[in-house]
Amino acid sequence: MKIGELARAVGMTTTAIRWYEAQGLLPRPRRVSGRREYEADAAGALLLVRAAQAAGFTIAETRTLVREAERERESSATWKRLAKRKLDEVVAARERLAAMEKFLRATLACGCVRASDCELLARAGRERPPSRKLRV
């Protein structure tokens, strides 16, 4: 099918499809008179890409999922393995955000006039800060 037909079938723009193809998330289609001709399974690959995006998977993780599906391997096992890891990341990020919220609320409730005299800020400054890396 032509790229416009594929785009309509999955509700994406042709630009997005070309970008996914360039990222290795979609098999390169054959060319007929210089135009892309996609196989029917390209729609399924794009829907998998969308599902991976909704789950917060990285491009590399999504590429792994798509390649497993192309090889007709046990892609659901790969999905479950990556989903478990992503869920662990989400839970850890939520915990870090909750701690940040608690600290910020405490600082807003603090009655100190000068930040340099605030015991709450001094105590926080002495502690090792949590990782700023929020991988979600």
Side-chain angles (χ1 to χ4, degrees):
M1 80 178 73
K2 294 185 184 342
I3 193 168
E5 296 168 321
L6 179 59
R8 282 187 294 282
V10 296
M12 290 182 181
T13 65
T14 57
T15 303
I17 293 172
R18 287 186 196 100
W19 189 84
Y20 291 138
E21 182 184 320
Q23 298 305 308
L25 302 176
L26 189 61
R28 295 219 180 260
R30 62 189 166 103
R31 299 282 181 147
V32 177
S33 300
R35 296 178 184 259
R36 290 169 169 86
E37 282 286 333
Y38 291 92
E39 299 294 326
D41 62 349
L46 286 171
L47 295 175
L48 178 59
V49 167
R50 266 220 186 123
Q53 282 181 321
F57 290 137
T58 64
I59 295 293
E61 291 165 335
T62 303
R63 194 176 296 118
T64 297
L65 288 167
V66 169
R67 287 188 178 144
E68 292 293 311
E70 283 174 6
R71 294 179 187 142
E72 296 184 19
R73 291 188 178 169
E74 192 60 42
S75 57
S76 67
T78 302
W79 177 276
K80 288 177 182 176
R81 179 176 47 83
L82 292 174
K84 170 72 171 93
R85 186 179 334 151
K86 187 60 66 178
L87 183 58
D88 291 345
E89 290 173 12
V90 168
V91 169
R94 186 175 43 221
E95 289 170 357
R96 285 191 303 274
L97 288 171
M100 290 167 58
E101 179 184 12
K102 181 179 177 183
F103 175 71
L104 290 169
R105 288 189 186 282
T107 64
L108 290 173
C110 179
C112 291
V113 176
R114 293 177 25 170
S116 60
D117 296 334
C118 181
E119 181 56 33
L120 180 65
L121 294 178
R123 187 173 48 240
R126 287 189 294 269
E127 295 174 1
R128 184 169 182 241
S131 172
R132 299 190 76 184
K133 189 176 183 183
L134 290 179
R135 286 186 57 207
V136 177

PDB file of all heavy atoms in Angstrom, residues 1-18 21 26 29 35-38 42-43 46:
ATOM      1  N   MET A   1       0.841  -1.171   0.000  1.00  0.00           N
ATOM      2  CA  MET A   1       0.000   0.000   0.000  1.00  0.00           C
ATOM      3  C   MET A   1       0.888   1.236   0.000  1.00  0.00           C
ATOM      4  O   MET A   1       1.993   1.207   0.517  1.00  0.00           O
ATOM      5  CB  MET A   1      -0.979  -0.041   1.176  1.00  0.00           C
ATOM      6  CG  MET A   1      -0.451   0.378   2.517  1.00  0.00           C
ATOM      7  SD  MET A   1      -1.673   0.362   3.864  1.00  0.00           S
ATOM      8  CE  MET A   1      -1.864  -1.382   4.124  1.00  0.00           C
ATOM      9  N   LYS A   2       0.387   2.308  -0.543  1.00  0.00           N
ATOM     10  CA  LYS A   2       1.132   3.559  -0.605  1.00  0.00           C
ATOM     11  C   LYS A   2       1.153   4.228   0.762  1.00  0.00           C
ATOM     12  O   LYS A   2       0.322   3.942   1.618  1.00  0.00           O
ATOM     13  CB  LYS A   2       0.500   4.486  -1.640  1.00  0.00           C
ATOM     14  CG  LYS A   2       0.607   3.951  -3.066  1.00  0.00           C
ATOM     15  CD  LYS A   2       0.075   4.965  -4.046  1.00  0.00           C
ATOM     16  CE  LYS A   2       0.048   4.504  -5.474  1.00  0.00           C
ATOM     17  NZ  LYS A   2       0.806   3.407  -5.887  1.00  0.00           N
ATOM     18  N   ILE A   3       2.085   5.144   0.956  1.00  0.00           N
ATOM     19  CA  ILE A   3       2.264   5.768   2.258  1.00  0.00           C
ATOM     20  C   ILE A   3       1.021   6.531   2.708  1.00  0.00           C
ATOM     21  O   ILE A   3       0.661   6.509   3.881  1.00  0.00           O
ATOM     22  CB  ILE A   3       3.519   6.676   2.288  1.00  0.00           C
ATOM     23  CG1 ILE A   3       3.863   7.053   3.732  1.00  0.00           C
ATOM     24  CG2 ILE A   3       3.351   7.880   1.380  1.00  0.00           C
ATOM     25  CD1 ILE A   3       5.217   7.694   3.899  1.00  0.00           C
ATOM     26  N   GLY A   4       0.308   7.170   1.786  1.00  0.00           N
ATOM     27  CA  GLY A   4      -0.914   7.886   2.151  1.00  0.00           C
ATOM     28  C   GLY A   4      -2.002   6.943   2.635  1.00  0.00           C
ATOM     29  O   GLY A   4      -2.722   7.254   3.594  1.00  0.00           O
ATOM     30  N   GLU A   5      -2.106   5.790   1.995  1.00  0.00           N
ATOM     31  CA  GLU A   5      -3.087   4.785   2.419  1.00  0.00           C
ATOM     32  C   GLU A   5      -2.747   4.251   3.806  1.00  0.00           C
ATOM     33  O   GLU A   5      -3.622   4.089   4.658  1.00  0.00           O
ATOM     34  CB  GLU A   5      -3.124   3.631   1.414  1.00  0.00           C
ATOM     35  CG  GLU A   5      -3.591   4.032   0.037  1.00  0.00           C
ATOM     36  CD  GLU A   5      -3.349   2.935  -0.994  1.00  0.00           C
ATOM     37  OE1 GLU A   5      -2.286   2.264  -0.927  1.00  0.00           O
ATOM     38  OE2 GLU A   5      -4.227   2.757  -1.856  1.00  0.00           O
ATOM     39  N   LEU A   6      -1.467   4.005   4.018  1.00  0.00           N
ATOM     40  CA  LEU A   6      -1.017   3.523   5.325  1.00  0.00           C
ATOM     41  C   LEU A   6      -1.296   4.574   6.396  1.00  0.00           C
ATOM     42  O   LEU A   6      -1.789   4.249   7.479  1.00  0.00           O
ATOM     43  CB  LEU A   6       0.477   3.176   5.273  1.00  0.00           C
ATOM     44  CG  LEU A   6       1.113   2.677   6.560  1.00  0.00           C
ATOM     45  CD1 LEU A   6       0.425   1.412   7.070  1.00  0.00           C
ATOM     46  CD2 LEU A   6       2.606   2.435   6.350  1.00  0.00           C
ATOM     47  N   ALA A   7      -1.006   5.814   6.089  1.00  0.00           N
ATOM     48  CA  ALA A   7      -1.235   6.903   7.044  1.00  0.00           C
ATOM     49  C   ALA A   7      -2.707   6.974   7.436  1.00  0.00           C
ATOM     50  O   ALA A   7      -3.039   7.106   8.620  1.00  0.00           O
ATOM     51  CB  ALA A   7      -0.772   8.227   6.444  1.00  0.00           C
ATOM     52  N   ARG A   8      -3.582   6.882   6.474  1.00  0.00           N
ATOM     53  CA  ARG A   8      -5.024   6.913   6.775  1.00  0.00           C
ATOM     54  C   ARG A   8      -5.440   5.686   7.585  1.00  0.00           C
ATOM     55  O   ARG A   8      -6.249   5.787   8.500  1.00  0.00           O
ATOM     56  CB  ARG A   8      -5.840   7.011   5.488  1.00  0.00           C
ATOM     57  CG  ARG A   8      -5.868   8.414   4.900  1.00  0.00           C
ATOM     58  CD  ARG A   8      -6.826   8.519   3.713  1.00  0.00           C
ATOM     59  NE  ARG A   8      -6.397   7.735   2.556  1.00  0.00           N
ATOM     60  CZ  ARG A   8      -5.438   8.099   1.694  1.00  0.00           C
ATOM     61  NH1 ARG A   8      -4.802   9.233   1.872  1.00  0.00           N
ATOM     62  NH2 ARG A   8      -5.118   7.341   0.681  1.00  0.00           N
ATOM     63  N   ALA A   9      -4.876   4.543   7.257  1.00  0.00           N
ATOM     64  CA  ALA A   9      -5.251   3.302   7.940  1.00  0.00           C
ATOM     65  C   ALA A   9      -4.913   3.327   9.427  1.00  0.00           C
ATOM     66  O   ALA A   9      -5.646   2.756  10.238  1.00  0.00           O
ATOM     67  CB  ALA A   9      -4.565   2.106   7.273  1.00  0.00           C
ATOM     68  N   VAL A  10      -3.817   3.992   9.777  1.00  0.00           N
ATOM     69  CA  VAL A  10      -3.392   4.000  11.181  1.00  0.00           C
ATOM     70  C   VAL A  10      -3.591   5.349  11.855  1.00  0.00           C
ATOM     71  O   VAL A  10      -3.293   5.495  13.043  1.00  0.00           O
ATOM     72  CB  VAL A  10      -1.918   3.534  11.330  1.00  0.00           C
ATOM     73  CG1 VAL A  10      -1.769   2.096  10.901  1.00  0.00           C
ATOM     74  CG2 VAL A  10      -0.979   4.444  10.589  1.00  0.00           C
ATOM     75  N   GLY A  11      -4.062   6.338  11.118  1.00  0.00           N
ATOM     76  CA  GLY A  11      -4.318   7.655  11.698  1.00  0.00           C
ATOM     77  C   GLY A  11      -3.059   8.433  12.019  1.00  0.00           C
ATOM     78  O   GLY A  11      -2.992   9.114  13.046  1.00  0.00           O
ATOM     79  N   MET A  12      -2.072   8.334  11.159  1.00  0.00           N
ATOM     80  CA  MET A  12      -0.814   9.067  11.334  1.00  0.00           C
ATOM     81  C   MET A  12      -0.567   9.928  10.100  1.00  0.00           C
ATOM     82  O   MET A  12      -1.193   9.732   9.063  1.00  0.00           O
ATOM     83  CB  MET A  12       0.375   8.103  11.465  1.00  0.00           C
ATOM     84  CG  MET A  12       0.435   7.326  12.716  1.00  0.00           C
ATOM     85  SD  MET A  12       1.942   6.311  12.701  1.00  0.00           S
ATOM     86  CE  MET A  12       1.754   5.474  14.247  1.00  0.00           C
ATOM     87  N   THR A  13       0.386  10.822  10.234  1.00  0.00           N
ATOM     88  CA  THR A  13       0.789  11.603   9.069  1.00  0.00           C
ATOM     89  C   THR A  13       1.865  10.846   8.306  1.00  0.00           C
ATOM     90  O   THR A  13       2.563   9.990   8.867  1.00  0.00           O
ATOM     91  CB  THR A  13       1.352  12.982   9.477  1.00  0.00           C
ATOM     92  OG1 THR A  13       2.557  12.775  10.221  1.00  0.00           O
ATOM     93  CG2 THR A  13       0.340  13.779  10.303  1.00  0.00           C
ATOM     94  N   THR A  14       2.001  11.169   7.043  1.00  0.00           N
ATOM     95  CA  THR A  14       3.054  10.539   6.241  1.00  0.00           C
ATOM     96  C   THR A  14       4.431  10.949   6.766  1.00  0.00           C
ATOM     97  O   THR A  14       5.368  10.154   6.727  1.00  0.00           O
ATOM     98  CB  THR A  14       2.913  10.920   4.761  1.00  0.00           C
ATOM     99  OG1 THR A  14       2.943  12.348   4.637  1.00  0.00           O
ATOM    100  CG2 THR A  14       1.620  10.372   4.169  1.00  0.00           C
ATOM    101  N   THR A  15       4.534  12.158   7.298  1.00  0.00           N
ATOM    102  CA  THR A  15       5.800  12.621   7.871  1.00  0.00           C
ATOM    103  C   THR A  15       6.207  11.742   9.053  1.00  0.00           C
ATOM    104  O   THR A  15       7.379  11.365   9.185  1.00  0.00           O
ATOM    105  CB  THR A  15       5.681  14.088   8.325  1.00  0.00           C
ATOM    106  OG1 THR A  15       5.272  14.877   7.208  1.00  0.00           O
ATOM    107  CG2 THR A  15       6.981  14.614   8.877  1.00  0.00           C
ATOM    108  N   ALA A  16       5.246  11.415   9.905  1.00  0.00           N
ATOM    109  CA  ALA A  16       5.534  10.549  11.054  1.00  0.00           C
ATOM    110  C   ALA A  16       5.984   9.174  10.574  1.00  0.00           C
ATOM    111  O   ALA A  16       6.947   8.610  11.120  1.00  0.00           O
ATOM    112  CB  ALA A  16       4.308  10.427  11.949  1.00  0.00           C
ATOM    113  N   ILE A  17       5.336   8.647   9.579  1.00  0.00           N
ATOM    114  CA  ILE A  17       5.702   7.325   9.059  1.00  0.00           C
ATOM    115  C   ILE A  17       7.128   7.348   8.515  1.00  0.00           C
ATOM    116  O   ILE A  17       7.920   6.445   8.789  1.00  0.00           O
ATOM    117  CB  ILE A  17       4.686   6.855   7.997  1.00  0.00           C
ATOM    118  CG1 ILE A  17       3.335   6.600   8.676  1.00  0.00           C
ATOM    119  CG2 ILE A  17       5.192   5.609   7.272  1.00  0.00           C
ATOM    120  CD1 ILE A  17       2.197   6.325   7.720  1.00  0.00           C
ATOM    121  N   ARG A  18       7.466   8.382   7.773  1.00  0.00           N
ATOM    122  CA  ARG A  18       8.835   8.494   7.251  1.00  0.00           C
ATOM    123  C   ARG A  18       9.843   8.590   8.398  1.00  0.00           C
ATOM    124  O   ARG A  18      10.927   8.023   8.325  1.00  0.00           O
ATOM    125  CB  ARG A  18       8.957   9.719   6.341  1.00  0.00           C
ATOM    126  CG  ARG A  18       8.285   9.546   5.004  1.00  0.00           C
ATOM    127  CD  ARG A  18       8.567  10.756   4.093  1.00  0.00           C
ATOM    128  NE  ARG A  18       7.645  10.755   2.994  1.00  0.00           N
ATOM    129  CZ  ARG A  18       6.545  11.499   2.922  1.00  0.00           C
ATOM    130  NH1 ARG A  18       6.227  12.332   3.900  1.00  0.00           N
ATOM    131  NH2 ARG A  18       5.748  11.425   1.878  1.00  0.00           N
ATOM    132  N   GLU A  21      10.310   5.238   9.974  1.00  0.00           N
ATOM    133  CA  GLU A  21      11.123   4.437   9.066  1.00  0.00           C
ATOM    134  C   GLU A  21      12.602   4.806   9.218  1.00  0.00           C
ATOM    135  O   GLU A  21      13.466   3.922   9.313  1.00  0.00           O
ATOM    136  CB  GLU A  21      10.659   4.678   7.625  1.00  0.00           C
ATOM    137  CG  GLU A  21      11.387   3.869   6.589  1.00  0.00           C
ATOM    138  CD  GLU A  21      10.945   4.232   5.192  1.00  0.00           C
ATOM    139  OE1 GLU A  21       9.734   4.458   4.963  1.00  0.00           O
ATOM    140  OE2 GLU A  21      11.826   4.300   4.329  1.00  0.00           O
ATOM    141  N   LEU A  26      10.261   0.887  11.458  1.00  0.00           N
ATOM    142  CA  LEU A  26       9.394   0.385  10.406  1.00  0.00           C
ATOM    143  C   LEU A  26      10.296  -0.166   9.311  1.00  0.00           C
ATOM    144  O   LEU A  26      11.260   0.506   8.921  1.00  0.00           O
ATOM    145  CB  LEU A  26       8.535   1.540   9.867  1.00  0.00           C
ATOM    146  CG  LEU A  26       7.409   1.222   8.920  1.00  0.00           C
ATOM    147  CD1 LEU A  26       6.375   0.313   9.587  1.00  0.00           C
ATOM    148  CD2 LEU A  26       6.733   2.500   8.476  1.00  0.00           C
ATOM    149  N   PRO A  29      10.319   0.067   3.068  1.00  0.00           N
ATOM    150  CA  PRO A  29       9.428  -0.501   2.047  1.00  0.00           C
ATOM    151  C   PRO A  29      10.142  -0.632   0.700  1.00  0.00           C
ATOM    152  O   PRO A  29      11.161   0.011   0.463  1.00  0.00           O
ATOM    153  CB  PRO A  29       8.311   0.542   1.963  1.00  0.00           C
ATOM    154  CG  PRO A  29       9.006   1.827   2.267  1.00  0.00           C
ATOM    155  CD  PRO A  29      10.049   1.478   3.304  1.00  0.00           C
ATOM    156  N   ARG A  35       8.322   5.452  -5.429  1.00  0.00           N
ATOM    157  CA  ARG A  35       7.373   5.651  -4.323  1.00  0.00           C
ATOM    158  C   ARG A  35       7.395   4.449  -3.385  1.00  0.00           C
ATOM    159  O   ARG A  35       7.585   3.323  -3.794  1.00  0.00           O
ATOM    160  CB  ARG A  35       5.958   5.846  -4.865  1.00  0.00           C
ATOM    161  CG  ARG A  35       5.819   7.089  -5.696  1.00  0.00           C
ATOM    162  CD  ARG A  35       4.392   7.197  -6.234  1.00  0.00           C
ATOM    163  NE  ARG A  35       4.261   8.331  -7.098  1.00  0.00           N
ATOM    164  CZ  ARG A  35       3.718   9.480  -6.725  1.00  0.00           C
ATOM    165  NH1 ARG A  35       3.244   9.620  -5.508  1.00  0.00           N
ATOM    166  NH2 ARG A  35       3.633  10.482  -7.572  1.00  0.00           N
ATOM    167  N   ARG A  36       7.160   4.744  -2.115  1.00  0.00           N
ATOM    168  CA  ARG A  36       7.144   3.682  -1.107  1.00  0.00           C
ATOM    169  C   ARG A  36       5.907   2.805  -1.296  1.00  0.00           C
ATOM    170  O   ARG A  36       4.802   3.307  -1.431  1.00  0.00           O
ATOM    171  CB  ARG A  36       7.119   4.300   0.290  1.00  0.00           C
ATOM    172  CG  ARG A  36       8.380   4.976   0.721  1.00  0.00           C
ATOM    173  CD  ARG A  36       8.124   5.773   2.002  1.00  0.00           C
ATOM    174  NE  ARG A  36       9.334   6.243   2.619  1.00  0.00           N
ATOM    175  CZ  ARG A  36       9.947   7.370   2.293  1.00  0.00           C
ATOM    176  NH1 ARG A  36       9.457   8.149   1.340  1.00  0.00           N
ATOM    177  NH2 ARG A  36      11.056   7.732   2.918  1.00  0.00           N
ATOM    178  N   GLU A  37       6.136   1.499  -1.215  1.00  0.00           N
ATOM    179  CA  GLU A  37       5.042   0.526  -1.238  1.00  0.00           C
ATOM    180  C   GLU A  37       5.199  -0.359  -0.017  1.00  0.00           C
ATOM    181  O   GLU A  37       6.128  -1.160   0.078  1.00  0.00           O
ATOM    182  CB  GLU A  37       5.092  -0.336  -2.512  1.00  0.00           C
ATOM    183  CG  GLU A  37       4.577   0.343  -3.750  1.00  0.00           C
ATOM    184  CD  GLU A  37       3.061   0.482  -3.774  1.00  0.00           C
ATOM    185  OE1 GLU A  37       2.365  -0.346  -3.147  1.00  0.00           O
ATOM    186  OE2 GLU A  37       2.577   1.429  -4.415  1.00  0.00           O
ATOM    187  N   TYR A  38       4.298  -0.191   0.945  1.00  0.00           N
ATOM    188  CA  TYR A  38       4.382  -0.920   2.207  1.00  0.00           C
ATOM    189  C   TYR A  38       3.610  -2.224   2.143  1.00  0.00           C
ATOM    190  O   TYR A  38       2.569  -2.318   1.498  1.00  0.00           O
ATOM    191  CB  TYR A  38       3.823  -0.059   3.347  1.00  0.00           C
ATOM    192  CG  TYR A  38       4.684   1.133   3.658  1.00  0.00           C
ATOM    193  CD1 TYR A  38       4.460   2.356   3.042  1.00  0.00           C
ATOM    194  CD2 TYR A  38       5.737   1.018   4.555  1.00  0.00           C
ATOM    195  CE1 TYR A  38       5.259   3.454   3.328  1.00  0.00           C
ATOM    196  CE2 TYR A  38       6.543   2.116   4.848  1.00  0.00           C
ATOM    197  CZ  TYR A  38       6.300   3.319   4.225  1.00  0.00           C
ATOM    198  OH  TYR A  38       7.094   4.401   4.500  1.00  0.00           O
ATOM    199  N   ALA A  42       2.875  -3.504   7.800  1.00  0.00           N
ATOM    200  CA  ALA A  42       3.401  -2.214   8.244  1.00  0.00           C
ATOM    201  C   ALA A  42       2.413  -1.522   9.186  1.00  0.00           C
ATOM    202  O   ALA A  42       2.822  -0.856  10.137  1.00  0.00           O
ATOM    203  CB  ALA A  42       3.714  -1.325   7.048  1.00  0.00           C
ATOM    204  N   ALA A  43       1.129  -1.705   8.953  1.00  0.00           N
ATOM    205  CA  ALA A  43       0.120  -1.095   9.834  1.00  0.00           C
ATOM    206  C   ALA A  43       0.247  -1.664  11.248  1.00  0.00           C
ATOM    207  O   ALA A  43       0.198  -0.917  12.231  1.00  0.00           O
ATOM    208  CB  ALA A  43      -1.283  -1.327   9.291  1.00  0.00           C
ATOM    209  N   LEU A  46       3.249  -0.148  12.984  1.00  0.00           N
ATOM    210  CA  LEU A  46       2.999   1.228  13.423  1.00  0.00           C
ATOM    211  C   LEU A  46       2.104   1.267  14.661  1.00  0.00           C
ATOM    212  O   LEU A  46       2.298   2.099  15.548  1.00  0.00           O
ATOM    213  CB  LEU A  46       2.385   2.051  12.299  1.00  0.00           C
ATOM    214  CG  LEU A  46       3.373   2.434  11.189  1.00  0.00           C
ATOM    215  CD1 LEU A  46       2.633   3.044  10.016  1.00  0.00           C
ATOM    216  CD2 LEU A  46       4.438   3.382  11.718  1.00  0.00           C
TER     217      LEU A  46
END
